[in-house]
Amino acid sequence: MSALNAYLDVAPEVQAALNENRPVVALESTIISHGMPYPQNVETALRVEAIVREHGAVPATVAVIDGRLRAGLTPDEIDYLGRKGREVIKVSRRDLPAVVARGLDGATTVASTMIIAALAGIDVFATGGIGGVHRGAETTMDISADLEELAMTPVMVVCAGAKSILDLGLTLEYLETKGVPVLGYGTEELPAFYTRQSGFGVDYRVDTPAELAAIWNAKRGMGLAGGALVANPIPEEFSMDKAVIDKAIDQALAECAEQGIHGKDTTPFLLARIAEITGNDSLDSNIQLVFNNVALGAQISKELCALRA
Ligand code: PSU
Ligand code: MN
């Protein structure tokens, strides 16, 4: 047992699946606390777990509870994180030591969910969107720790691309420098979260969960450090009008600058403002793309188990 494992509790159902080479999908909790309003956040998180199960995998929602790293939460714990919302500490890599030492609760970002998933031995993690290089990063230096985590921690992350609150071109450059494969599921183009297209290409178009699993197995087999990013476009019927969403993002970015929001508050502020400006349309899209991603995550995990059987 490594030193860090002393801080980790894996839910019995999750541990049993891992021991028996059955599929498991890790899920993050900042999307619950900071990514969506209550009660839709809790409804979505519980539905997401059900969808993972319907696709034959075991869900492992990740968080920090009472200072323990947790892979696999109870519905009550999910409800608690969702009700507390933005009062819960948003925990990325740099926050883990203090939150654990103080015995606090925290919602995990993509970066810290990857850390905990890797410690637990979970390969596949599905979410909505990842953090990236923010627009204006050439002066603010605001680059999400999610990218650095993808560079070093061995987890395959399924997302719907990144929101254009970020500089998508610079985000891809960063991932290239760090050696993170960006794989488009059924697409040549990086999806932009609410829309299927961004104008930026992915590294490889991959059309089946089996091939995504094979690519991941090859990366691990060669001993290459770090993760991989699977970019899964939002289903056509739920995608948004580009002009509508771009206008909301521009307004949210302007308010963010006016109010001097910075650091770890930037992304939650932008997410909340975009949801408020566009109302239920963007929330519906957001929920649907997460459902789509966790279903793909379950299929990839199944294929990985088959490769290892
Ligand atoms: N982007 C989204 N939805 C989210 C997040 C980002 O579209 O919920 C959350 C994720 O938890 C992600 C975090 O890991 O925000 C990134 O925060 P930051 O930019 O401060 O690293
Ligand atoms: Mn940041």
Side-chain angles (χ1 to χ4, degrees), residues 35-304:
M36 287 181 195
Y38 180 83
Q40 288 92 343
N41 54 358
V42 172
E43 287 162 14
T44 302
L46 296 174
R47 183 78 195 113
V48 153
E49 291 209 338
I51 292 171
V52 169
R53 289 183 196 284
E54 284 160 20
H55 286 80
V58 174
T61 301
V62 169
V64 184
I65 305 281
D66 292 333
R68 300 290 300 168
L69 309 182
R70 298 278 304 276
L73 299 183
T74 65
D76 279 352
E77 288 166 336
I78 287 174
D79 187 70
Y80 163 78
L81 293 172
R83 278 178 195 273
K84 278 191 90 178
R86 286 169 70 184
E87 283 173 37
V88 178
I89 302 175
K90 173 185 163 191
V91 174
S92 196
R93 169 176 276 268
R94 60 116 185 239
D95 305 285
L96 283 171
V99 169
V100 165
R102 292 180 175 177
L104 301 176
D105 301 323
T108 50
T109 63
V110 168
S112 53
T113 302
M114 288 177 74
I115 293 170
I116 295 168
L119 278 175
I122 303 169
D123 277 273
V124 180
F125 159 27
T127 186
I130 60 158
V133 180
H134 279 262
R135 294 205 215 165
E138 58 275 23
T139 50
T140 63
M141 289 182 71
D142 189 349
I143 299 173
S144 175
D146 293 352
L147 298 185
E148 215 52 52
E149 209 60 54
L150 280 161
M152 61 182 150
T153 300
V155 175
M156 183 170 235
V157 179
V158 183
C159 69
K163 289 193 174 83
S164 52
I165 58 173
L166 303 172
D167 187 318
L168 300 184
L170 291 186
T171 300
L172 286 171
E173 292 292 349
Y174 201 94
L175 290 167
E176 181 186 358
T177 299
K178 296 290 181 172
V180 179
V182 179
L183 310 169
Y185 184 62
T187 181
E188 315 273 335
E189 227 178 291
L190 180 76
F193 198 87
Y194 297 113
T195 57
R196 293 171 61 85
Q197 275 144 3
S198 66
F200 295 97
V202 294
D203 302 335
Y204 297 92
R205 171 182 173 152
V206 182
D207 289 326
T208 63
E211 206 197 348
L212 288 167
I215 291 169
W216 183 242
N217 226 28
K219 175 155 183 166
R220 296 302 308 272
M222 286 182 278
L224 297 175
L229 194 64
V230 177
N232 186 26
I234 184 171
E236 191 81 64
E237 63 268 39
F238 302 114
S239 73
M240 290 187 71
D241 184 308
K242 188 178 180 318
V244 171
I245 195 67
D246 283 353
K247 189 161 169 273
I249 287 172
D250 286 344
Q251 184 185 332
L253 284 166
E255 290 176 13
C256 191
E258 272 162 30
Q259 296 180 35
I261 310 273
H262 60 90
K264 73 190 283 188
D265 296 332
T266 300
T267 298
F269 175 87
L270 292 171
L271 298 178
R273 281 304 290 143
I274 291 164
E276 285 158 10
I277 296 163
T278 55
N280 286 327
D281 282 1
S282 70
L283 186 56
D284 282 350
S285 297
N286 196 343
I287 291 168
Q288 293 296 333
L289 67 82
V290 175
F291 292 168
N292 191 47
N293 292 345
V294 302
L296 178 58
Q299 293 171 65
I300 297 168
S301 184
K302 260 184 169 164
E303 296 292 346
L304 273 172

